[in-house]
Amino acid sequence: MSFLDLKNVTKIYPNGTKAVHETSLSVDEGEFMVFVGPSGCGKSTLLRMVAGLEDITEGDINLDGKLINEVDPSERDVAMVFQNYALYPHMNVYNNLAYGLKNRGIDKETIEQKVNDAAKLLQISDYLQRKPSMLSGGQRQRVAMGRAIVRNPKIFLFDEPLSNLDAKLRIQMRLEIKKLQQKVGVTSIFVTHDQVEAMTLADRLAVINNGIIEQLGTPIEIYDNPKSLFVAGFIGSPQMNFLDGNIKNKTLSAESFEIKDIDSDFEGEVKLGIRPEHLSQSENSLINLKVDLVEQLGSDNLVYGQLKDKKDFCYRCPGNLTIEKGADLSLNIENNKYYIFDKSTGKRVN
Amino acid sequence: MKIKPLQIIAHIILILGVLLMVVPIWISFASSSHDSVTILTEGMKFHIGDQLARNYNEVLNEKGGWSEEVTAAKMFINSFIMALGIATLKVVISAMSAYALVYYRFKLAVPIFWLIFITLLVPLEVRIFPSYKIVSDLGLTNSYTGLILPLVASATATFFFRQFYKTIPDELLESAKLDGANAWSFFIDFLVPLSKTMIAAMFIFMFVYGYSQYLWPLIMTTAEEYWTVVMGMKIIYTESYEGVALPRTAERFAYIILSMIPPVLVVVFLQKWFIKGLIQTEK
Ligand SMILES: Nc1ncnc2c1ncn2[C@@H]1O[C@H](COP(=O)(O)OP(=O)(O)O)[C@@H](O)[C@H]1O
Ligand SMILES: [Mg+2]
């Protein structure tokens, strides 16, 4: 059994909303697990069940070899960083950090030692006497993390902790969280709807949709090998291009081109997925793109345009290529990196 | 800086308001420093006279009542104890019952809240006979407990505390729970400090409420040693009809001025808290 074990966990809210369906998942000790999915998919609910803030309708959760379904949140030894931090407004930073330790009956000197260590680690030593209202967003974020770290809990839970920060700070804090987690080595679950955040932070990530884990794996596995239409569309930026197609006798026809000898026995209606970055310009082309717009990011260009049948399409090319608006590009799929999904079920078929 | 006409008008209105409040008090105070004959013959005074110390000493220490034993000082102490007890218990009980109503999601929370709320329609004066019966059956007449206890439940304060607690984000509770807080420590460590301002305001209102009670102490007490200030006010006014001496008008004014001091002290003492809470907006 791994460190944290969810077995067939289901959550039905009193009003009948089924937020999580029979979800099973294990997290190893020291692992950084990320739950990613669109808003309302049940990520927070799942996290809150681990924390003990929501009752578990069905299933079991084991933490460190102990069934914790009925264990009170205060006894679970988990720490959580909330979206708007939930700092204690009437306590200064020191007491915000110390409160959890005091409740555990730890003596004063040890508390002081621990708080100071955590404050140093998070570079908030200078603000220990301030109230949260006198701190900036980034500083509050650090205090919230300090409050979690100082207790040395079995598991860290983060519920979209970066979403209240501006873009630059978000990237910086993302890095810091990752570094911190590696330094402290504590098992963590991080919830986000931002796939970039998910990819950069995760040791493994769980892509959740409608209360179901669609796919579980390392970021690269999921990027390279999405198992469903949803995962393929959700992970990767800019989004994967999808074209309607049809397979007959191992030949896929989509738009105005055909791919022969595909690696699938599937027959029927499909969606063909091609990532913008898996395309290149070549002579004997498959796809003809009429360019509408070019976004120059410096390192890359994002080329947006339309295919013959007016279908929107995106191509990502190195930033040193100059591409004019209105140009006609001939594109090929690199190394046969394309994905085929059953149109009716969304399941990957190649 | 140029003063706009609108500002002048605003100030005039404010100054008039202040005068309206302050002048009667000043007249009472000034009049309390003359002797009664002067007041009776010349009317009320605007300036301080020379009888200040004598009048106040007389009012505070002269023994009165049927038994000639109770002094005004004793009545002030009684009123103060009664008001303090009522205000303290009202605040404590209301805060705790609001806590139960908001945070313990039992099925009857809403009906119970409305039941408490309905008691607003049944003030003490309406239920004075049953209340008296209960208190006297418990043998609590002529005691501080009897003076205080029937007045400590407060729908108003419960309502205000409930509304306040509802504005506290759930995440604070959740966060505290994960930090190992139990029901009691969440109340003491979070709700009480967060509602400091509220507590101070409620305490002031309830103190004044308790201090100005008239009917209940009148019915409750037969022993003079439990008389309160407001009762004394009545006595000091009726006194002159019984005696042959001149009405002691100056002393009455002194008594009125003295009777204002305890509530004023409470306000002065608590306003620091009160204002601090108002200006230090804590998110
Ligand atoms: N307290 C609640 N009562 C009823 N339904 C809820 C409650 N909390 C969340 N939900 C519903 O459960 C689903 C999942 O919510 P949530 O876990 O918060 O999603 P996410 O965090 O992924 O955005 C949503 O449909 C939401 O409306
Ligand atoms: Mg959420």
Side-chain angles (χ1 to χ4, degrees):
Chain A
M1 189 184 276
S2 31
F3 192 65
L4 174 71
D5 228 16
L6 279 71
K7 241 190 261 132
N8 297 325
V9 171
T10 297
K11 173 71 189 182
I12 301 170
Y13 279 107
N15 68 1
T17 311
K18 197 166 185 184
V20 174
H21 303 253
E22 305 217 352
T23 294
S24 297
L25 172 85
S26 341
V27 182
D28 291 327
E29 191 157 9
E31 191 176 22
F32 200 121
M33 168 67 75
V34 173
F35 294 167
V36 65
S39 159
C41 70
K43 317 176 286 288
S44 298
T45 305
L46 200 54
L47 193 75
R48 291 165 57 82
M49 284 194 283
V50 175
L53 299 174
E54 297 290 351
D55 293 334
I56 300 159
T57 314
E58 261 169 59
D60 288 337
I61 298 183
N62 281 282
L63 177 63
D64 201 8
K66 200 174 134 218
L67 183 70
I68 57 168
N69 280 29
E70 301 296 330
V71 178
D72 205 62
S74 57
E75 314 269 295
R76 287 194 186 189
D77 202 7
V78 302
M80 185 154 167
V81 178
F82 292 84
Q83 181 166 355
N84 37 24
Y85 319 136
L87 299 180
Y88 309 141
H90 57 296
M91 297 185 193
N92 63 19
V93 171
Y94 182 92
N95 286 324
N96 262 281
L97 265 61
Y99 186 70
L101 299 173
K102 281 184 196 156
N103 278 336
R104 280 171 175 72
I106 296 169
D107 66 275
K108 257 202 163 127
E109 286 84 61
T110 317
I111 291 180
E112 197 170 334
Q113 178 79 40
K114 285 186 177 219
V115 170
N116 286 333
D117 287 351
K120 213 185 215 163
L121 190 65
L122 287 156
Q123 300 160 11
I124 48 172
S125 303
D126 293 344
Y127 318 121
L128 283 177
Q129 297 311 319
R130 289 205 201 164
K131 293 268 179 77
S133 57
M134 294 155 77
L135 299 176
S136 72
Q139 289 163 346
R140 284 182 202 180
Q141 171 74 64
R142 274 171 216 227
V143 176
M145 300 221 303
R147 202 168 62 180
I149 283 177
V150 75
R151 271 176 33 209
N152 201 5
K154 284 192 182 137
I155 191 161
F156 263 17
L157 308 173
F158 299 86
D159 194 351
E160 312 217 11
L162 303 180
S163 51
N164 281 354
L165 301 177
D166 62 66
K168 200 171 159 200
L169 204 54
R170 193 148 66 217
I171 294 168
Q172 186 194 336
M173 289 308 296
R174 189 170 84 199
L175 253 160
E176 283 188 27
I177 288 180
K178 182 74 181 172
K179 273 197 225 154
L180 202 69
Q181 195 268 345
Q182 284 173 348
K183 201 189 287 178
V184 184
V186 61
T187 315
S188 305
I189 303 180
F190 188 103
V191 161
T192 178
H193 64 266
D194 179 343
Q195 57 96 16
V196 180
E197 223 166 88
M199 296 285 285
T200 49
L201 282 170
D203 290 333
R204 269 193 313 153
L205 61 92
V207 185
I208 302 179
N209 187 28
N210 282 328
I212 293 170
I213 297 185
E214 291 252 346
Q215 194 171 353
L216 190 68
T218 64
I220 287 305
E221 270 168 29
I222 289 182
Y223 174 83
D224 279 344
N225 224 339
K227 291 246 158 46
S228 71
L229 196 61
F230 173 81
V231 175
F234 196 78
I235 299 293
S237 168
Q239 212 194 16
M240 187 184 278
N241 297 297
F242 291 109
L243 302 174
D244 288 322
N246 206 308
I247 303 184
K248 226 182 237 164
N249 294 328
K250 292 198 171 247
T251 300
L252 184 147
S253 39
E255 224 253 338
S256 55
F257 59 87
E258 283 190 343
I259 306 175
K260 290 198 166 60
D261 284 332
I262 56 163
D263 185 15
S264 170
D265 295 326
F266 188 83
E267 304 246 315
E269 299 271 293
V270 293
K271 286 260 184 195
L272 172 65
I274 308 161
R275 291 202 187 275
E277 52 271 41
H278 293 161
L279 293 160
S280 59
Q281 295 183 58
S282 71
E283 297 290 300
N284 54 347
S285 72
L286 217 48
I287 301 164
N288 288 306
L289 179 69
K290 186 157 177 65
V291 180
D292 284 337
L293 183 79
V294 182
E295 280 183 355
Q296 295 184 309
L297 304 180
S299 58
D300 291 309
N301 288 336
L302 297 182
V303 181
Y304 296 94
Q306 290 181 339
L307 303 184
K308 279 192 187 125
D309 59 359
K310 302 286 179 214
K311 179 98 180 112
D312 288 328
F313 204 80
C314 176
Y315 158 51
R316 180 178 197 146
C317 67
N320 53 14
L321 292 183
T322 33
I323 293 172
E324 302 278 321
K325 190 181 155 190
D328 279 307
L329 302 183
S330 318
L331 302 175
N332 229 336
I333 304 169
E334 285 180 345
N335 308 325
N336 281 335
K337 277 198 179 165
Y338 55 84
Y339 307 91
I340 306 170
F341 303 94
D342 180 341
K343 195 172 175 180
S344 53
T345 63
K347 289 268 178 300
R348 175 94 175 271
V349 294
N350 73 328
Chain B
M1 194 185 76
K2 235 184 110 190
I3 301 170
K4 296 190 195 94
L6 206 65
Q7 276 178 322
I8 296 175
I9 295 171
H11 276 90
I12 289 174
I13 293 173
L14 288 174
I15 288 167
L16 283 177
V18 169
L19 288 179
L20 205 66
M21 308 282 252
V22 170
V23 167
I25 294 174
W26 174 254
I27 293 179
S28 307
F29 179 67
S31 303
S32 73
S33 64
H34 294 266
D35 68 35
S36 296
V37 181
T38 323
I39 308 281
L40 281 170
T41 51
E42 298 171 20
M44 293 200 268
K45 295 290 183 185
F46 272 98
H47 64 274
I48 304 279
D50 53 2
Q51 299 291 316
L52 191 78
R54 196 203 71 88
N55 285 345
Y56 280 81
N57 185 35
E58 188 117 319
V59 167
L60 276 178
N61 296 320
E62 194 190 341
K63 295 190 181 355
W66 299 300
S67 61
E68 300 284 322
E69 255 175 15
V70 60
T71 63
K74 176 71 178 162
M75 291 195 257
F76 283 118
I77 291 169
N78 286 344
S79 279
F80 193 79
I81 291 174
M82 181 183 173
L84 197 69
I86 289 175
T88 310
L89 288 176
K90 262 183 187 291
V91 167
V92 170
I93 289 173
S94 306
M96 290 173 96
S97 55
Y99 177 47
L101 287 173
V102 174
Y103 286 95
Y104 288 78
R105 298 193 179 123
F106 54 104
K107 282 204 181 71
L108 291 177
V110 175
I112 286 180
F113 171 72
W114 287 110
L115 205 64
I116 293 176
F117 203 74
I118 282 172
T119 62
L120 273 181
L121 305 175
V122 197
L124 184 73
E125 287 74 12
V126 175
R127 56 185 161 90
I128 201 141
F129 285 111
S131 299
Y132 181 80
K133 173 90 172 96
I134 290 170
V135 171
S136 85
D137 285 355
L138 290 172
L140 292 174
T141 48
N142 288 321
S143 72
Y144 289 124
T145 320
L147 279 174
I148 293 168
L149 216 51
L151 294 168
V152 296
S154 170
T156 331
T158 307
F159 176 75
F160 279 113
F161 277 112
R162 173 180 178 264
Q163 295 312 96
F164 177 74
Y165 293 161
K166 284 183 150 209
T167 65
I168 292 177
D170 283 348
E171 288 188 350
L172 202 63
L173 171 66
E174 292 173 347
S175 192
K177 267 190 198 164
L178 293 177
D179 255 349
N182 56 29
W184 179 246
S185 49
F186 182 68
F187 182 67
I188 294 297
D189 296 338
F190 290 83
L191 295 183
V192 169
L194 285 171
S195 56
K196 264 197 308 211
T197 314
M198 184 83 175
I199 289 173
M202 283 300 146
F203 189 88
I204 290 173
F205 294 143
M206 297 311 167
F207 185 90
V208 173
Y209 167 83
Y211 193 76
S212 55
Q213 282 301 312
Y214 175 63
L215 196 56
W216 181 247
L218 191 67
I219 288 177
M220 260 298 301
T221 57
T222 46
E224 288 172 359
E225 59 189 295
Y226 288 106
W227 280 4
T228 62
V229 172
V230 186
M231 290 167 73
M233 194 111 48
K234 181 203 163 242
I235 290 156
I236 206 170
Y237 272 97
T238 49
E239 192 186 39
S240 58
Y241 298 111
E242 295 158 4
V244 282
L246 276 171
R248 297 158 73 187
T249 317
E251 281 95 334
R252 284 183 196 160
F253 281 121
Y255 187 87
I256 289 167
I257 293 294
L258 283 173
S259 72
M260 291 192 305
I261 291 175
V264 168
L265 278 183
V266 168
V267 173
V268 168
F269 179 69
L270 286 182
Q271 77 165 357
K272 255 198 303 190
W273 245 27
F274 192 61
I275 291 176
K276 206 166 111 191
L278 289 181
I279 52 177
Q280 224 181 42
T281 46
E282 292 172 326
K283 275 211 287 189

